[in-house]
């Protein structure tokens, strides 16, 4: 073959190959486009993953999940835009992720705590004094159980604008009581004539639930129950003096505060059994506030009631506490009175143990603002310690203080557990609360809505009665 013939042959083959390639590309244009697009997406995702930034991370932390009753070690929690962006197994690279990081080595993370019975909406500046204290003690949510509705809504507006400035807040505004209210300053007197007007006015001002009190007639409790069903809003509070505990449960009162009226049936096994069954059937809750019964005894005995938090308490409240102390002290000189207080407290504890044994839904609250020498923040930890004294499993106590409130308020999609996508309300503890619930006071860091709280209270580990100072 001559040189010229070889050249012509090569050119012919080249043209045929080029034609085939062009024809293939033309026929499979969509396939090629899709392949190129997929490659670009993979590259983009890979780049974004590398460049992904977080507000901060918590690495090598043990996460406590009281719902599953497990503690998972060596995890890294990524926080971004107020939420938990993701959770991964820890490795050395996690330490440098984000703008800042928290070393969780040998530490424990729990979801934010809730005080489900407190009073913080009775004075307009308590957001400035009480909110920081509550956050310092790891309390990222509260249920106010009666106060001024204007103050409640103003506080809620503040928290809407800056969720990290205080605990999540739910409340009813004023107490709803009978014609002669027990606490007239923070109550509305309901009658057969005005109940619809008053309930409508409160509902229109965006209350979260209706707080019922002790002197409502049976008919009015029934009207409130029906109103709640019609408006899809719950009612909770004291059991009226004019109905039985079981009747209150049948009317679907959502929670029973303290153990008022329930203690009246403690020795009637049939009535108690019926009450328990009715409460469970109607998905109601109990918030026993055992601490207030313990505190009544301590006041009567003249015990040391000082805690450093006393110096932060509003002067009005200090004066009120002082008057109560003077009135109730000296019971030790009256053995019958002191014996009665101690007997009541013993019976209350037995009731709470019975409710726990029967798997009833329990909430934890302390009644700050309603009971003397019950301190904000610290008192919830006291209530948890009382549950441990009764023999409760510590995982269950943590569940009562973190997850149960989320169930109660139907917030489990956003709160109550440390999970991806949920609001970053967390408490980092130096020591394990599962081994001893009092370790919830050994606080390292509090995170509210994805921001690290600047804690004004640095002495959360201090217990009351251990300060060497009395009042």
């Amino acid at each position: 073959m001559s040189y010229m013939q070889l050249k012509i042959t090569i050119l012919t083959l080249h043209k045929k190959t080029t034609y085939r390639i062009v024809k293939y590309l033309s026929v499979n244009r969509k396939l090629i486009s899709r392949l190129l697009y997929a490659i670009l997406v993979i590259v983009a995702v890979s780049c974004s993953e590398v460049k992904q930034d977080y507000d901060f991370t918590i690495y090598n932390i043990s996460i406590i999940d009281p719902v599953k009753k497990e503690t998972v070690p060596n995890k890294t929690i990524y926080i971004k835009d107020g939420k938990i962006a993701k959770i991964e197994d820890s490795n050395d690279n996690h330490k440098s992720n984000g703008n800042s990081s928290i070393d969780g080595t040998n530490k424990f993370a729990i979801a934010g705590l809730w005080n489900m019975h407190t009073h913080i909406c009775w004075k307009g500046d308590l957001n400035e004094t009480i909110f920081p204290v509550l956050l310092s003690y790891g309390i990222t949510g509260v249920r106010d159980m009666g106060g001024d509705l204007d103050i409640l809504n103003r506080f809620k507006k503040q928290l809407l604008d800056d969720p990290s400035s205080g605990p999540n807040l739910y409340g009813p505004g004023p107490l709803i009581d009978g014609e002669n209210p027990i606490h007239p300053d923070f109550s509305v007197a309901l009658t057969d004539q005005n109940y619809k007007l008053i309930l409508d006015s409160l509902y229109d001002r965006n209350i979260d639930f209706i707080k019922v009190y002790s002197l409502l007639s049976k008919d009015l409790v029934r009207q409130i129950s029906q109103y709640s069903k019609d408006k899809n809003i719950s009612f909770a509070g004291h059991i009226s003096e004019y109905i039985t505990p079981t009747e209150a449960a049948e009317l679907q009162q959502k929670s029973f505060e303290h153990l008022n009226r329930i203690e009246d049936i403690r020795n009637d096994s049939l009535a108690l059994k019926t009450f328990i069954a009715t409460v469970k059937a109607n998905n109601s809750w109990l918030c026993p506030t055992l601490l207030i019964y313990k505190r009544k005894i301590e006041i009567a005995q003249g015990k040391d009631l000082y805690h450093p938090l006393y110096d932060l308490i509003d002067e009005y409240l200090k004066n009120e506490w002082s008057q109560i102390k003077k009135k109730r002290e000296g019971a030790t000189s009256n053995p019958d009175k002191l014996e009665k207080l101690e007997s009541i407290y013993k019976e209350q504890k037995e009731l709470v143990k019975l409710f726990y044994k029967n798997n009833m839904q329990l909430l934890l609250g302390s009644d700050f603002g309603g009971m003397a020498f019950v301190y904000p923040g610290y008192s919830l930890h006291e209530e948890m310690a009382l549950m441990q004294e009764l023999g409760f499993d510590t995982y269950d106590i943590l569940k009562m203080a973190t997850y149960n409130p989320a169930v109660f308020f139907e917030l489990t999609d956003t709160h109550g557990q440390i999970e991806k996508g949920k609001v970053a309300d967390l408490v980092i503890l130096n020591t394990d609360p599962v081994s001893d619930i009092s370790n919830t006071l050994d606080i390292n860091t509090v995170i509210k809505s994805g921001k690290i709280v600047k804690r004004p209270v640095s002495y959360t580990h201090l217990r009351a009665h251990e300060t060497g100072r009395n009042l």
Side-chain angles (χ1 to χ4, degrees):
M1 181 182 292
S2 66
Y3 171 76
M4 184 58 68
Q5 288 174 324
L6 179 61
K7 186 175 180 180
I8 291 170
T9 302
I10 291 172
L11 287 172
T12 302
L13 289 172
H14 179 71
K15 286 180 180 179
K16 288 181 179 179
T17 301
T18 302
Y19 172 77
R20 287 171 182 169
I21 291 172
V22 170
K23 184 179 180 181
Y24 178 83
L25 290 174
S26 176
V27 172
N28 295 278
R29 186 179 300 167
K30 289 185 178 180
L31 176 62
I32 300 299
S33 297
R34 288 172 182 170
L35 286 171
L36 288 172
Y37 178 75
I39 292 170
L40 289 172
V41 168
I42 291 170
V43 171
V45 169
S46 299
C47 291
S48 66
E49 188 68 25
V50 170
K51 296 180 180 178
Q52 176 69 62
D53 195 15
Y54 300 94
D55 296 332
F56 61 94
T57 61
I58 309 164
Y59 66 89
N60 204 31
I61 190 84
S62 293
I63 298 176
I64 296 176
D65 186 341
V67 178
K68 297 177 182 178
K69 290 194 173 186
E70 65 180 16
T71 300
V72 185
N74 304 320
K75 290 292 182 179
T76 294
I77 304 170
Y78 296 80
I79 309 296
K80 186 173 179 62
D81 297 331
K83 293 186 177 181
I84 299 170
K86 65 178 180 177
I87 301 173
E88 291 184 340
D89 291 336
S90 291
N91 59 55
D92 291 337
N93 294 328
H94 290 156
K95 296 181 182 180
S96 60
N97 280 326
N99 296 325
S100 61
S101 58
I102 297 173
D103 185 357
T105 304
N106 298 323
K107 297 180 180 66
F108 303 83
I110 61 172
L113 302 168
W114 287 69
N115 190 325
M116 290 294 282
H117 192 120
T118 190
H119 298 273
I120 59 172
C121 294
W122 49 270
K123 194 170 183 227
D125 63 355
L126 293 184
N127 56 327
E128 300 173 10
T129 57
I130 300 301
F131 280 12
V133 171
L134 293 171
L135 291 178
S136 291
Y137 279 89
I139 296 171
T140 60
V142 296
R143 183 176 62 147
D144 185 85
M145 289 306 290
D148 185 286
L149 184 52
D150 288 332
I151 294 174
L152 171 67
N153 283 334
R154 183 158 56 80
F155 287 177
K156 289 170 75 172
K157 173 64 166 54
Q158 171 193 321
L159 296 167
L160 184 64
D161 294 338
D162 182 4
S164 66
S165 66
N168 305 307
L169 175 61
Y170 294 83
L175 313 177
I176 301 299
D177 208 352
E179 288 193 49
N180 297 297
I182 296 173
H183 301 290
D185 290 346
F186 298 108
S187 300
V188 175
L190 220 62
T191 66
D192 293 331
Q193 291 72 39
N194 70 7
Y195 79 88
K196 182 70 165 55
L197 179 66
I198 287 174
L199 295 179
D200 279 341
S201 69
L202 294 174
Y203 180 82
D204 291 342
R205 294 175 67 193
N206 300 314
I207 59 172
D208 297 302
F209 58 94
I210 299 167
K211 167 70 183 284
V212 293
Y213 218 64
S214 304
L215 299 182
L216 289 165
S217 69
K218 178 182 287 190
D219 286 342
L220 283 174
V221 177
R222 286 174 176 165
Q223 296 290 359
I224 291 170
S225 174
Q226 186 59 52
Y227 186 91
S228 297
K229 292 175 185 176
D230 294 342
K231 297 291 187 179
N232 193 29
I233 185 171
S234 63
F235 73 102
H238 289 209
I239 299 173
S240 168
E241 296 291 330
Y242 302 106
I243 61 175
T244 68
T246 297
E247 286 173 329
E250 288 172 341
L251 291 170
Q252 297 182 337
Q253 182 167 325
K254 189 167 184 179
S255 75
F256 304 96
E257 306 307 306
H258 321 301
L259 296 168
N260 295 349
R261 299 300 320 286
I262 302 172
E263 60 195 11
D264 295 342
I265 61 172
R266 63 188 180 278
N267 295 320
D268 187 333
S269 59
L270 178 59
L272 198 54
K273 183 178 180 180
T274 303
F275 170 72
I276 291 172
T278 308
V279 167
K280 295 176 74 171
N282 286 283
N283 199 32
S284 295
W285 299 73
L286 292 110
C287 188
T289 64
L290 270 184
L291 178 62
I292 67 173
Y293 302 98
K294 179 174 184 281
R295 195 64 86 237
K296 287 178 182 179
I297 294 173
E298 292 170 339
I299 292 173
Q301 293 172 331
K303 284 193 174 181
D304 174 10
L305 300 171
Y306 176 78
H307 186 280
L309 285 171
Y310 181 83
D311 300 324
L312 301 177
I313 295 297
D314 184 84
E315 288 299 323
Y316 172 85
L317 205 56
K318 285 182 182 178
N319 292 332
E320 184 179 274
W321 288 5
S322 178
Q323 293 301 315
I324 292 172
K325 191 171 187 285
K326 290 177 181 177
K327 181 179 178 181
R328 293 183 176 175
E329 268 185 336
T332 49
S333 61
N334 185 339
D336 291 339
K337 184 177 180 181
L338 183 59
E339 184 179 346
K340 183 178 179 180
L341 286 172
E342 292 173 337
S343 175
I344 291 173
Y345 181 44
K346 181 180 179 181
E347 290 166 352
Q348 304 286 18
K349 289 190 288 185
E350 291 302 316
L351 275 175
V352 175
K353 284 198 289 186
L354 177 66
F355 296 151
Y356 177 67
K357 182 180 178 181
N358 280 273
N359 298 313
M360 299 180 78
Q361 299 182 118
L362 296 175
L363 303 168
L364 299 183
S366 64
D367 205 12
F368 164 70
M371 178 64 201
F373 299 100
V374 168
Y375 291 98
Y378 173 72
S379 56
L380 179 70
H381 297 267
E382 289 187 280
E383 185 76 4
M384 289 192 287
L386 290 177
M387 299 301 136
Q388 182 172 266
E389 288 179 16
L390 295 182
F392 288 16
D393 181 274
T394 47
Y395 277 120
D396 288 338
I397 299 170
L398 290 170
K399 181 183 174 186
M400 293 171 198
T402 59
Y403 182 73
N404 283 6
V407 177
F408 183 88
F409 285 124
E410 299 180 2
L411 298 173
T412 52
D413 288 342
T414 55
H415 292 79
Q417 289 175 286
I418 301 176
E419 293 180 336
K420 177 183 176 181
K422 294 190 176 180
V423 174
D425 289 350
L426 312 172
V427 185
I428 299 175
L429 303 171
N430 293 314
T431 43
D432 184 7
V434 175
S435 62
D436 185 344
I437 203 66
S438 68
N439 288 335
T440 55
L441 284 165
D442 192 6
I443 296 172
N444 179 279
T445 306
V446 178
I447 299 163
K448 177 65 176 70
S449 298
K451 291 186 179 180
I452 298 172
V453 173
K454 295 180 180 179
R455 296 163 58 209
V457 178
S458 60
Y459 43 75
T460 56
H461 62 286
L462 289 179
R463 275 61 162 172
H465 321 314
E466 296 178 355
T467 60
R469 174 180 166 185
N470 204 348
L471 295 173

